[in-house]
Amino acid sequence: MKFAEIILPLPLKGTFTYQIPNELISNIQRGSRVIAQFGKKKVYTGVVQRIHEKAPQQYQPKPLLDVLDPAPVFTDYQFQFISWISTYYMCSLGDAYSAVLPSGMKLSSDSYLSLQTDLDFEEIALSEKEEWVIQALKDSELQLNDIRQLTGLKHPYRIIKSLSDKNVIQVHEKIKDKYKPKKERRIRLTPQFSEEDSLDILAESLQHKVKQIEVLETYLNLVPVLEDPDANEKGVLKSILISEGVSSSSLKTLVKNHVLEEWDEIIDRFQVGVKEHVSIELTSVQKLAFEKVNTQMTQHTTTLLKGVTGSGKTEIYVSLIQEIIDQGKRALFLLPEIALTTQIISRLRKIFGNRFGIYHSRFSDNERVEIYQKCLDGAFDFIVGVRSSVFLPIQDLGLVVVDEEHEPSYKQYDPAPRYHARDAAIYLAHLHGAKVVLGSATPSLESYLNAQEGKYGFVELTERYLDQPLPDIKLVDMSRERKQRTIKGVFSSELIQAIEQTISKGKQVILFQNRRGYSPFVQCDNCQHIPKCPNCSVSLTYHIYQNQLICHYCGYKEFMVAECPSCGSQDIRTIGSGTEKIQEELEILLPNLQVKRMDLDTTRSKHAYQQIIDDFEQGNIDVLIGTQMVTKGLDFEHVDLVGIFDADRLIHFPDFRSHERAFQLMTQVSGRSGRKHDRGLVLIQTSDPQTELLRQIQHHDTEAFYPVESRERESFKYPPFYRMIRVIIRNKDKLKAYQAAFEYHRWATKEIGQQRVLGPVEPMIGKIRNLYIYEIIIKAERQGISLSALKEFLLSSRDTLLALPSFKSVLVHFDVDPV
């Protein structure tokens, strides 16, 4: 008898042993997907990690229900990779496995209700709504949502339980395949009418049926059946035939009479075409940097390319990718944001045609399944994608490029695994024996110090493309403008004047505000009431275009009211400003401008990013207002002015990385200005222009920033000099969450020392989605303590805590290397 170790997409430890039925033994392999029952009812898609002959001692293994794949869909590299992800980021193997497969490849079961057979309903006492359910079940099976709609009850569980107790219904599971291939409906002549003689006979029989003759003539005009006998086999798209104006009913009649036949043909969502690589011309500066990177890659696995904004790092990446493809290997090109992905795609298409794949969250489940399968088949030369792309089964990986490596977007927060794609990519490259290039104008402190210490190779680009000068950065003193009463809304007089001058020259403007919505909160002037989210400990953000107050953490919404719900006063005002308010005020101050926003609210649809970027590139937008999306490597030719709002809030945000983030954000968005022609201008609005950090940004002084930040981190025992693990404890009961956190803290302090354990503390946002949160920070020096032993202790302590009856409902998870 044979058994299989199965990884299931569940947050549970280890693998699960299942018996392999005899009829499945010849089909099953390591890396195949299987259908496995877990518990009494639920069915999941698992993956075979190992096949063996040792039966488990503790339980009787269930048989596998089915094998889904004739060939493995999980590679050996992926097994090694998720094992490392699980260990390093302290999550279950099932969590790591869930991150790999697109959801369209994970079949699952849904609960269905059906009637028991041979029942006499006249002898069973039923309520009115129960009778409605019974009548509907006589026609077909129902799901929970069907019963909600039928009864009008939000929670119809009582009715279901009542019918189950009366033995009237049965609940069972049905397996659903989420992936649906793309199909197109085609039309062709049936074989007996595909030759000239038979067509003549057919035409004669239809001579009095004018509409049907028109359909036939149109088809023959579109498909050269007589000239090319094989053409009829492929036929024509039904939609094309209909678009020629033929009668749909006549077409249907011809199909019914077996003159024409229609069928669905499965097609690829992504056509991979062969195209010769078009070489790009590097400037002398870029060519020198390219050669240096190649030299560094012979000596180091990872190389940091630090290039000022607009220095042409992308051209160097493309040259490196081209080189690795010529060696018969493949590449992974990671980008931090979908917005950046959409702009760079058009540039890559001109060079590589369709020989690369794109992978990000805006793709549908079906599209992601097809990209995954094409990676397995080796159809792409390289992949361009966001952080989840590290889980794709890329064959013969030779190079990983991580652009804007400093970006916090590379960190996954929820759900598990809480990995950092940059660090995961470095380990992935290690598995494949590949090289890594990290690129940024403002590298993370971790990467910069690794390069300075010789762990990474280091190449620097200090000049912009074609020696274009860096923008002139000016600090606008908002305190002085307030005293002089020259501020208009959130705009300084200097910024408004600069916008007018820039537009008059036919140039464009980017305005950066790292806060979406109209205002962070609204407040009653009479009683100071501030509407708050009932599920999270945050104020509701006002969105003027929807006239709603919205929680940005759980999505709770309520309409903006004219009266204060607390005291009835109508003196309600907005506090602070987001991208919506900046847009509104600018349109009032300068009504002739074309103004657009690029934030989460305006880019929810699949192609919204591309549309906004195309409009801006084509000059249809004068001023683009955006959040962090506009800071990330976008390349616009005619942007001459960048305005930055709320610089002080960025600098003084309560986080140990706030200075680094502020430096990176403001430097990066400044780099969007003056990239091609005239020298750009950047205006930073601040109430404290003497701040040292702003002076460093103003003078593009990265060399001054890193040593200062490094000394502060080391003196206060923060990364990269100390390792950090955040232990996050949640519960619906605040007291229980605190008690669990206190108990965990007590154990941790006793075992690893008080100096290494901080907390427990309630974070700045202490409740999200009705769960109260407490955090414990573990700080561990890089030398003198075993990281693996520390993690093992933290995990075992978690298991011991959750085994206590009073803490069974508590949730505990870990965030390793938080950013």
Side-chain angles (χ1 to χ4, degrees):
M1 188 175 291
K2 289 199 172 184
F3 302 91
E5 293 302 313
I6 307 298
I7 303 173
L8 294 176
L10 298 170
L12 300 172
K13 279 186 176 181
T15 59
F16 300 88
T17 307
Y18 283 82
Q19 179 193 337
I20 306 173
N22 290 333
E23 63 272 18
L24 299 181
I25 286 177
S26 60
N27 297 328
I28 197 166
Q29 301 177 60
R30 171 177 158 88
S32 297
R33 288 177 305 153
V34 293
I35 299 295
Q37 182 180 343
F38 188 80
K40 291 184 178 179
K41 294 180 180 178
K42 281 293 179 183
V43 174
Y44 294 98
T45 303
V47 64
V48 180
Q49 185 203 50
R50 184 167 60 92
I51 297 171
H52 59 89
E53 297 181 354
K54 187 177 179 181
Q57 300 297 314
Q58 294 82 8
Y59 59 91
Q60 179 64 37
K62 294 177 181 177
L64 291 172
L65 301 179
D66 204 355
V67 177
L68 296 176
D69 306 301
V73 298
F74 223 80
T75 68
D76 287 341
Y77 286 121
Q78 286 174 299
F79 278 116
Q80 294 176 66
F81 188 53
I82 68 168
S83 176
W84 177 81
I85 288 279
S86 170
T87 302
Y88 187 82
Y89 290 105
M90 300 174 71
C91 66
S92 72
L93 204 55
D95 283 331
Y97 159 65
S98 290
V100 175
L101 284 188
S103 58
M105 293 181 72
K106 289 178 277 194
L107 278 65
S108 63
S109 64
D110 283 340
S111 297
Y112 283 79
L113 308 181
S114 60
L115 289 176
Q116 298 280 14
T117 55
D118 302 326
L119 287 177
D120 186 355
F121 293 106
E122 292 182 1
E123 296 182 1
I124 302 172
L126 299 171
S127 69
E128 182 182 18
K129 289 185 177 178
E130 287 174 347
E131 287 182 354
W132 296 350
V133 174
I134 295 301
Q135 289 302 317
L137 283 170
K138 287 180 179 178
D139 296 327
S140 65
E141 298 172 322
L142 299 178
Q143 288 185 274
L144 185 60
N145 279 338
D146 300 326
I147 295 178
R148 283 196 185 104
Q149 294 174 6
L150 185 67
T151 61
L153 298 173
K154 188 175 181 180
H155 302 292
Y157 305 108
R158 188 173 294 177
I159 285 180
I160 295 172
K161 185 176 186 307
S162 173
L163 290 172
S164 182
D165 290 344
K166 294 170 183 176
N167 201 30
V168 172
I169 62 169
Q170 57 182 351
V171 182
H172 56 96
E173 299 288 310
K174 275 191 176 181
I175 297 172
K176 293 173 63 179
D177 190 347
K178 299 176 185 177
Y179 171 65
K180 293 181 180 178
K182 186 176 182 180
K183 299 176 182 177
E184 55 184 20
R185 197 76 166 163
R186 303 189 74 87
I187 298 286
R188 64 187 170 200
L189 281 166
T190 50
Q192 65 264 36
F193 295 116
S194 60
E195 296 183 3
E196 188 172 359
D197 292 343
S198 56
L199 274 173
D200 291 339
I201 296 169
L202 175 63
E204 189 175 337
S205 68
L206 297 175
Q207 61 182 329
H208 300 301
K209 299 175 182 177
V210 179
K211 296 283 187 184
Q212 292 183 33
I213 284 288
E214 285 179 2
V215 174
L216 195 60
E217 288 177 345
T218 303
Y219 176 83
L220 293 172
N221 287 333
L222 292 169
V223 183
V225 175
L226 300 180
E227 292 82 1
D228 180 6
D230 295 329
N232 186 60
E233 184 67 25
K234 191 172 183 182
V236 68
L237 282 174
K238 185 178 181 180
S239 58
I240 292 176
L241 194 57
I242 294 293
S243 70
E244 294 291 322
V246 302
S247 165
S248 297
S249 60
S250 297
L251 175 60
K252 188 175 180 181
T253 301
L254 288 171
V255 171
K256 183 180 178 181
N257 292 336
H258 305 293
V259 174
L260 296 173
E261 60 184 12
E262 57 181 332
W263 82 102
D264 287 324
E265 184 172 8
I266 295 175
I267 60 170
D268 283 343
R269 287 181 169 85
F270 303 96
Q271 301 294 331
V272 182
V274 177
K275 179 176 177 177
E276 292 297 321
H277 297 321
V278 178
S279 297
I280 59 172
E281 291 296 323
L282 299 179
T283 66
S284 57
V285 175
Q286 288 174 322
K287 192 170 184 180
L288 181 61
F290 171 73
E291 290 168 354
K292 285 181 178 179
V293 170
N294 265 326
T295 301
Q296 290 294 322
M297 287 199 302
T298 62
Q299 302 165 14
H300 300 87
T301 301
T302 304
T303 299
L304 175 63
L305 174 60
K306 180 178 179 287
V308 296
T309 55
S311 57
K313 293 186 291 295
T314 302
E315 284 75 13
I316 296 172
Y317 301 151
V318 169
S319 298
L320 291 168
I321 290 169
Q322 211 168 54
E323 191 173 68
I324 210 74
I325 291 170
D326 291 341
Q327 295 172 16
K329 295 184 178 180
R330 294 181 173 83
L332 172 62
F333 189 177
L334 287 178
L335 299 167
E337 189 72 57
I338 297 169
L340 183 55
T341 310
T342 58
Q343 191 184 41
I344 210 167
I345 293 309
S346 59
R347 296 169 69 180
L348 293 173
R349 287 269 184 246
K350 294 173 185 175
I351 302 166
F352 296 101
N354 293 326
R355 293 298 302 166
F356 65 94
I358 310 156
Y359 197 77
H360 56 66
S361 60
R362 291 300 169 95
F363 277 175
S364 67
D365 286 343
N366 291 327
E367 288 171 322
R368 278 183 275 178
V369 168
E370 293 197 9
I371 290 289
Y372 187 96
Q373 290 173 334
K374 286 186 179 299
C375 285
L376 271 177
D377 297 338
F380 296 121
D381 287 338
F382 67 100
I383 291 291
V384 180
V386 293
R387 62 174 179 250
S388 56
S389 305
V390 296
F391 294 107
L392 288 171
I394 301 172
Q395 310 291 323
D396 301 316
L397 184 65
L399 175 69
V400 178
V401 175
V402 185
D403 192 22
E404 310 294 357
E405 66 84 27
H406 66 276
E407 274 290 341
S409 306
Y410 283 122
K411 174 70 173 179
Q412 164 80 8
Y413 291 99
D414 278 311
R418 294 171 181 84
Y419 66 98
H420 197 296
R422 176 198 61 213
D423 302 337
I426 291 171
Y427 184 79
L428 179 68
H430 162 72
L431 289 177
H432 285 264
K435 300 295 183 179
V436 180
V437 174
L438 309 178
S440 177
T442 54
S444 63
L445 187 60
E446 285 84 348
S447 295
Y448 185 78
L449 290 182
N450 279 334
Q452 294 300 306
E453 292 168 2
K455 294 178 183 176
Y456 294 171
F458 185 63
V459 177
E460 194 166 13
L461 266 170
T462 57
E463 297 178 18
R464 274 187 151 189
Y465 183 71
L466 298 179
D467 208 23
Q468 180 71 14
L470 287 165
D472 181 21
I473 300 178
K474 293 185 178 180
L475 306 178
V476 181
D477 190 342
M478 298 298 282
S479 295
R480 186 178 63 192
E481 290 231 1
R482 285 190 197 96
K483 289 175 184 175
Q484 296 173 351
R485 298 189 176 181
T486 54
I487 292 177
K488 298 177 181 179
V490 295
F491 288 85
S492 63
S493 59
E494 195 170 344
L495 181 55
I496 284 293
Q497 185 180 1
I499 292 172
E500 290 178 312
Q501 291 174 350
T502 303
I503 300 302
S504 69
K505 294 188 296 183
K507 301 296 184 178
Q508 293 171 301
V509 179
I510 286 178
L511 299 178
F512 169 59
Q513 166 62 301
N514 199 29
R515 177 184 274 161
R516 64 188 174 99
Y518 187 82
S519 63
F521 62 95
V522 297
Q523 184 177 34
C524 172
D525 273 348
N526 187 48
C527 70
Q528 281 70 55
H529 171 76
I530 298 172
K532 291 184 170 60
C533 175
N535 308 316
C536 311
S537 57
V538 294
S539 57
L540 296 173
T541 301
Y542 178 44
H543 288 247
I544 194 170
Y545 291 98
Q546 298 165 267
N547 195 34
Q548 286 183 326
L549 297 166
I550 301 175
C551 174
H552 288 173
Y553 287 85
C554 71
Y556 171 83
K557 298 178 181 180
E558 61 181 52
F559 282 103
M560 179 72 168
V561 291
E563 293 183 353
C564 172
S566 180
C567 70
S569 169
Q570 293 187 348
D571 296 329
I572 298 174
R573 64 189 177 101
T574 60
I575 308 293
S577 59
T579 50
E580 286 184 6
K581 188 172 184 177
I582 291 171
Q583 180 180 9
E584 181 190 70
E585 290 188 358
L586 185 60
E587 288 173 338
I588 292 170
L589 292 167
L590 302 171
N592 295 323
L593 299 185
Q594 293 297 316
V595 183
K596 282 282 182 73
R597 285 183 294 121
M598 188 161 80
D599 54 30
L600 186 61
D601 299 314
T602 61
T603 56
R604 292 189 186 278
S605 63
K606 183 175 180 179
H607 302 292
Y609 286 106
Q610 190 66 55
Q611 186 61 54
I612 293 171
I613 288 170
D614 288 348
D615 284 346
F616 197 57
E617 284 183 327
Q618 293 163 14
N620 300 326
I621 300 170
D622 297 317
V623 181
L624 182 63
I625 303 167
T627 53
Q628 289 189 39
M629 295 177 185
V630 300
T631 71
K632 302 181 182 184
L634 296 173
D635 186 11
F636 299 116
E637 184 174 352
H638 300 294
V639 174
D640 264 17
L641 174 65
V642 167
I644 298 175
F645 297 85
D646 274 357
D648 305 319
R649 187 176 63 85
L650 290 172
I651 294 169
H652 300 297
F653 189 80
D655 184 87
F656 76 92
R657 293 186 191 270
S658 61
H659 277 209
E660 181 183 8
R661 292 270 168 76
F663 180 82
Q664 290 164 342
L665 277 171
M666 286 190 266
T667 300
Q668 289 286 341
V669 75
S670 298
R672 303 314 109 209
S673 175
R675 294 172 74 92
K676 292 288 164 67
H677 304 293
D678 302 328
R679 187 181 188 189
L681 174 64
V682 180
L683 296 180
I684 300 176
Q685 297 191 160
T686 173
S687 295
D688 187 7
Q690 301 306 315
T691 303
E692 180 61 27
L693 182 66
L694 288 175
R695 292 293 181 186
Q696 292 167 354
I697 294 168
Q698 183 180 20
H699 297 110
H700 310 283
D701 196 354
T702 58
E703 300 309 314
F705 168 75
Y706 287 107
V708 172
E709 184 71 8
S710 179
R711 284 194 298 272
E712 285 199 3
R713 296 273 191 93
E714 187 171 19
S715 63
F716 289 102
K717 299 182 178 180
Y718 278 110
F721 302 98
Y722 279 69
R723 295 189 180 277
M724 271 182 65
I725 300 173
R726 181 183 287 133
V727 186
I728 303 162
I729 296 161
R730 310 184 193 203
N731 196 258
K732 289 183 177 180
D733 184 325
K734 186 174 184 179
L735 178 60
K736 187 169 287 189
Y738 174 75
Q739 289 171 338
F742 181 82
E743 192 69 10
Y744 193 96
H745 174 270
R746 187 172 65 83
W747 296 346
T749 301
K750 184 178 179 181
E751 182 68 24
I752 61 177
Q754 191 168 2
Q755 75 280 6
R756 295 191 180 105
V757 185
L758 302 179
V761 295
E762 189 175 352
M764 190 165 59
I765 300 170
K767 184 176 78 164
I768 297 177
R769 294 185 176 90
N770 284 320
L771 292 174
Y772 291 94
I773 306 169
Y774 282 90
E775 293 181 351
I776 298 166
I777 303 295
I778 309 296
K779 285 185 179 180
E781 57 271 33
R782 289 188 170 269
Q783 305 294 330
I785 186 170
S786 166
L787 184 62
S788 59
L790 173 62
K791 289 178 178 178
E792 189 176 332
F793 163 73
L794 294 175
L795 286 166
S796 64
S797 297
R798 188 265 311 269
D799 297 341
T800 303
L801 181 77
L802 300 186
L804 298 174
S806 55
F807 296 138
K808 280 190 174 179
S809 61
V810 171
L811 300 174
V812 180
H813 64 256
F814 304 94
D815 186 6
V816 179
D817 302 335
V819 298

